[in-house]
Amino acid sequence: MIGQRKIGVLMGGLSAERDISIRSGEAIVAALADRGYDAWPLFVDRDVDLVLRQSRIDVAFLALHGRYGEDGCIQGLLELLGIPYTGSGVLASALAMNKARAKEIFRLNNLPTAPGYVVQSDSGEDLLEMHGSFGFPVVVKPAGEGSSLGIRIARDELELEAAVEQALRFDDDVLVERFIEGKEVSVGILDGKPLGAVEIVPKRGFYDFRNKYTSGRTEYHLPARLSPERYRSALRLATLAHDALGCEGATRVDLIISERGNEVVLELNTLPGMTPTSLLPKIAHGAGLSFEDLVEETLKSARLRAHGHRRDRRAVQVTFQGPERRTGFLSDAH
């Protein structure tokens, strides 16, 4: 029952996205408390294993972003501790977080992505020789960071070298992709089903960290301004990307719809921002889900994925309270 299950909302973490994570976590705790759950904020640092053992939570709601929180590390720890958690499992989280590896999976599944190559900090190769006749402009981004941290657009060789140098401060691997002109669209996925798509229009430049998190710098169009056919195609492509990486729970897939009308997958976020003004909640609202509804539905998907736990058919039962009282299961036996 609701009073018997203790939910820990993991927030903070060790990545450059710590502040964003805390904002997400605080919003989630408030939403769960509003629905009557016994929710507790758990701030994640290098002592997270001790915190988890001492807190004795029954379920972990992950509000972490970036390295160590979104890349499979915390998911693996929770598997070892036997604590069901929200979001994707270890493998899907790791694949989605590494943009270069995710692109390989997308290509293997015949999903369109922008052409690109990886620059490694210790490769010893000459950058300009590697770039060769690849052309400009290009998008340069750290392979394993989120929130558009370290991302730049390079239009010539000098800008390329500067952009790669900056990106290497965030990650040892840097992804260089061909810049594709078009509409930037994000699709929200919940439990394998698309909720809708929002179009993102920065007033200046591209959708970098500053435009993403500074009020008034970006316009959002919900639903995205696409033809019905193109809109359905974008939702389908995002769902295929979600499935290709083996993702679960709530995710956000970022696409570019080119001027020719072709869709290209940019990346997939397994733990998207969950403040009331973040993209996924915006999309959910357009689908008729309040922020509290979205949080509650995400909680319902929490489970363990390791084979040892699958043999244990116990389920964590939670009574959900809302406009209509209903019962769901947080099961480690799916």
Side-chain angles (χ1 to χ4, degrees):
M1 300 294 291
I2 192 168
Q4 299 174 328
R5 315 313 307 179
K6 185 177 181 181
I7 302 165
V9 180
L10 276 60
M11 65 182 81
L14 303 171
S15 79
E17 300 176 73
R18 178 179 176 84
D19 290 345
I20 306 302
S21 170
I22 292 174
R23 286 164 54 186
S24 289
E26 290 174 343
I28 291 167
V29 170
L32 290 173
D34 183 67
R35 291 291 169 95
Y37 290 95
D38 183 20
W40 293 78
L42 296 183
F43 291 89
V44 173
D45 56 21
R46 295 194 184 279
D47 295 325
V48 61
D49 57 329
L50 297 178
V51 172
L52 288 171
R53 292 177 190 276
Q54 293 171 0
S55 65
R56 302 185 67 82
I57 61 173
D58 297 296
V59 182
F61 197 120
L62 301 185
L64 297 166
H65 304 313
R67 197 179 304 274
Y68 303 119
E70 202 169 352
D71 58 1
C73 290
I74 194 71
Q75 290 80 3
L77 177 59
L78 291 167
E79 291 284 352
L80 288 172
L81 295 177
I83 302 173
Y85 56 94
T86 59
S88 299
V90 175
L91 180 59
S93 298
L95 288 172
M97 190 66 192
N98 190 306
K99 299 175 181 64
R101 294 290 176 262
K103 283 175 72 72
E104 292 178 6
I105 300 297
F106 295 150
R107 287 170 178 164
L108 287 172
N109 285 270
N110 296 316
L111 303 180
T113 67
Y117 63 90
V118 176
V119 178
Q120 296 178 321
S121 61
D122 58 355
S123 68
E125 295 184 63
D126 182 85
L127 174 60
L128 298 184
E129 287 185 7
M130 183 184 301
H131 191 78
S133 59
F134 191 79
F136 292 96
V138 293
V139 180
V140 180
K141 62 182 77 171
E145 279 290 353
S147 288
S148 300
L149 288 165
I151 184 171
R152 287 177 64 175
I153 295 176
R155 294 173 175 80
D156 57 38
E157 293 180 347
L158 287 177
E159 290 186 355
L160 173 64
E161 291 179 319
V164 169
E165 182 179 352
Q166 174 183 288
L168 285 172
R169 297 172 186 169
F170 293 88
D171 199 297
D172 289 336
D173 291 344
V174 171
L175 182 61
V176 179
E177 292 182 309
R178 180 160 297 139
F179 176 81
I180 298 176
E181 193 75 43
K183 293 181 178 181
E184 186 163 354
V185 170
S186 283
V187 176
I189 307 284
L190 182 62
D191 294 329
K193 298 179 180 179
L195 293 174
V198 61
E199 181 185 346
I200 303 158
V201 186
K203 293 180 180 178
R204 294 186 62 184
F206 64 100
Y207 198 48
D208 58 6
F209 186 87
R210 187 178 180 187
N211 284 333
K212 185 173 291 188
Y213 295 113
T214 304
S215 177
R217 294 184 64 92
T218 300
E219 295 178 353
Y220 301 96
H221 298 274
L222 185 69
R225 297 173 298 179
L226 302 170
S227 68
E229 179 184 3
R230 191 58 57 201
Y231 191 88
R232 289 191 297 269
S233 183
L235 297 187
R236 179 177 178 274
L237 177 58
T239 305
L240 290 173
H242 173 102
D243 293 341
L245 296 180
C247 296
E248 300 173 63
T251 64
R252 194 193 73 236
V253 184
D254 298 333
L255 312 172
I256 287 289
I257 313 299
S258 73
E259 295 176 343
R260 297 181 178 179
N262 299 318
E263 303 94 358
V264 173
V265 180
L266 292 180
E267 57 188 78
L268 186 148
N269 192 321
T270 56
L271 291 176
M274 287 288 282
T275 70
T277 57
S278 297
L279 290 180
L280 181 61
K282 286 180 187 292
I283 296 168
H285 181 75
L289 291 175
S290 68
F291 183 73
E292 291 77 12
D293 291 335
L294 174 62
V295 169
E296 195 169 49
E297 291 300 316
T298 302
L299 178 63
K300 287 171 62 177
S301 67
R303 66 184 184 91
L304 289 163
R305 294 147 181 88
H307 292 292
H309 295 298
R310 285 191 178 188
R311 289 193 293 269
D312 183 353
R313 304 298 293 184
R314 293 173 299 169
V316 182
Q317 184 175 1
V318 179
T319 301
F320 296 97
Q321 290 180 323
E324 297 179 1
R325 190 175 179 87
R326 59 200 188 278
T327 300
F329 290 87
L330 301 179
S331 175
D332 58 18
H334 289 202

